[in-house]
Amino acid sequence: MLIISILVKTQLLMENSVRDNNDMPGHLARRFQQIAVAVFLSEVEGAGFDLTPVQYAALAAIRQNPGIDQVTLAGLIAYDRTTITGVVDRLVQKGLVVRQASSRDRRARELRITAEGLHTLRRITPAVEAAQQIMLRGLTEKEAQELVRLLRKAIAAGNELSRAPLKQRVLD
C-alpha cells in the first residue's frame, strides 16, 4: 500500500511539474521566430524579392562593413561559420555581393556589395520595415519598444551560450 501511495504521489508531482509550453520562454521564442520568418518572407516576396532573413542580414552587414571576411560576417549576424558560406554563395549568385582577394591576407576573401546589392537594399527596405510592424501588431508602441529592450537584454545575457554568438566588429 505504501508503494502505491508513493507511486501515485510521484505521478501527481510529475504531472503538476510539467509546464505549459505557453509559459516557457524557449517555446515562445521559437514560435515568434516562426512567425517572424513567415512574415518577413511574405512581405519580401510580395514586394518582388527573393531574399531570406539571413541573406538580408548578411547583405546589410556587408554594406555597413565593406571588405569584411566571411568569418567576421558570421560573427556580426550571429550565424555559424560553416553555414555562412552558402549564404554568401547565394548572394554572389544573385549578383548582390562579390568576393575579392584581400589586400591584407592573400588567403582571405573580402566581401563587397555590388551596385545591384545596394539597389536591392534600397528597394527592399519598405517591405522589411512593414514586416517588423506586422510582427508586433498586437502590441502598443510602448509594449513593442519594451519587447525589443527585453529581447536585447536576454540575448546579451545568454549570447555566449549560443552555438553562433553575436560578435561586435573590431575595427582594424
Side-chain angles (χ1 to χ4, degrees):
M1 194 62 141
L2 179 61
I3 293 174
I4 292 174
S5 178
I6 291 171
L7 289 174
V8 168
K9 286 180 182 177
T10 303
Q11 182 65 29
L12 287 173
L13 284 173
M14 287 177 57
E15 288 175 5
N16 291 334
S17 68
V18 175
R19 291 172 45 192
D20 184 308
N21 283 338
N22 292 315
D23 293 330
M24 296 182 179
H27 174 75
L28 295 171
R30 182 187 64 79
R31 283 292 298 133
F32 191 77
Q33 170 64 8
Q34 288 174 318
I35 293 165
V37 169
V39 168
F40 182 95
L41 293 175
S42 175
E43 290 301 304
V44 166
E45 289 171 1
F49 296 96
D50 176 30
L51 280 183
T52 65
V54 72
Q55 289 170 356
Y56 174 80
L59 189 61
I62 294 166
R63 186 196 59 155
Q64 292 173 338
N65 300 278
I68 192 172
D69 62 86
Q70 285 184 188
V71 172
T72 305
L73 173 63
L76 285 178
I77 65 170
Y79 214 68
D80 65 271
R81 291 169 51 168
T82 57
T83 312
I84 197 70
T85 301
V87 173
V88 173
D89 285 347
R90 285 184 281 290
L91 292 173
V92 169
Q93 289 168 357
K94 293 175 181 184
L96 305 176
V97 169
V98 294
R99 286 185 178 107
Q100 298 174 331
S102 172
S103 58
R104 293 170 289 190
D105 180 354
R106 63 183 185 164
R107 296 169 296 169
R109 307 286 285 169
E110 294 179 349
L111 302 173
R112 299 205 181 273
I113 193 167
T114 63
E116 181 61 27
L118 287 170
H119 184 64
T120 296
L121 275 178
R122 275 190 232 104
R123 291 179 31 236
I124 200 173
T125 296
V128 172
E129 291 299 323
Q132 307 313 300
Q133 294 302 312
I134 292 168
M135 288 174 214
L136 301 172
R137 71 179 174 191
L139 305 177
T140 66
E141 180 64 31
K142 186 175 180 179
E143 290 170 332
Q145 290 172 358
E146 182 67 1
L147 174 63
V148 171
R149 185 188 73 75
L150 291 171
L151 286 170
R152 286 180 180 148
K153 185 176 181 179
I155 289 166
N159 187 50
E160 74 282 353
L161 303 173
S162 173
R163 290 181 4 178
L166 181 68
K167 297 181 181 163
Q168 300 301 320
R169 173 92 162 124
V170 178
L171 298 175
D172 300 320

